[in-house]
């Protein structure tokens, strides 16, 4: 089955802008294995330059997106040292490999949320 792919977007609500320069890792954690699939840095729009999984290659399974939030907020004076949030990992399941999965992170140095976007 042809899948639509996987993408992400990071928004910095503490500063009111897209989060440029966040390192994002993608792992397949289906079963009891953990396999790195991709790594990217967010651009000026808070997105990766390319989908993390290209159209047509998404498979059903369990994945983790890891966002390096602490490093991103290292120069933000209001953030604590050491950072309250350092690594944010989102684990989610792809049930429909034919669907598009957009998994954004909305964050501050102290909180985050996510949702399945379009």
């Amino acid at each position: 089955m042809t899948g639509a792919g996987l993408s992400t977007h990071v928004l910095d609500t503490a500063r009111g802008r897209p989060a440029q320069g966040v390192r994002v890792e993608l792992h397949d954690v289906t079963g009891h294995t953990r396999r790195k699939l991709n790594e990217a840095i967010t651009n000026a729009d808070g997105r990766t330059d390319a989908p993390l999984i290209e159209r047509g290659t998404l498979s059903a399974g369990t994945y983790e997106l890891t966002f390096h939030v602490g490093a991103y907020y290292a120069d933000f004076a209001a953030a604590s040292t050491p950072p309250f949030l350092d690594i944010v990992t989102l684990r989610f399941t792809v049930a429909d490999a034919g669907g598009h999965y957009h998994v954004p992170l909305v964050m501050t140095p102290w909180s985050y949320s996510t949702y399945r976007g379009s």
Side-chain angles (χ1 to χ4, degrees):
M1 177 177 279
T2 300
L6 172 69
S7 59
T8 192
H9 187 196
V10 184
L11 298 172
D12 176 354
T13 57
R15 293 175 171 148
R17 64 184 189 207
Q20 180 178 9
V22 176
R23 190 172 107 202
V24 180
E25 297 173 63
L26 174 66
H27 289 86
D28 181 339
V29 294
T30 303
H32 295 289
T33 63
R34 188 170 196 267
R35 184 172 52 100
K36 188 173 186 176
L37 301 177
N38 204 343
E39 182 173 330
I41 304 292
T42 57
N43 60 25
D45 193 33
R47 300 175 186 276
T48 57
D49 288 333
L52 294 169
I53 297 179
E54 294 288 340
R55 177 177 292 279
T57 61
L58 182 64
S59 299
T62 304
Y63 296 88
E64 285 183 353
L65 278 171
T66 302
F67 299 88
H68 294 263
V69 172
Y72 170 81
Y73 280 119
D75 67 344
F76 188 50
S80 61
T81 303
F84 177 69
L85 293 176
D86 186 19
I87 305 293
V88 172
T89 301
L90 303 177
R91 183 176 281 202
F92 60 96
T93 301
V94 170
D96 176 12
H100 178 71
Y101 284 77
H102 181 70
V103 183
L105 181 71
V106 180
M107 66 179 195
T108 75
W110 316 278
S111 65
Y112 66 90
S113 66
T114 192
Y115 56 94
R116 181 176 173 192
S118 57

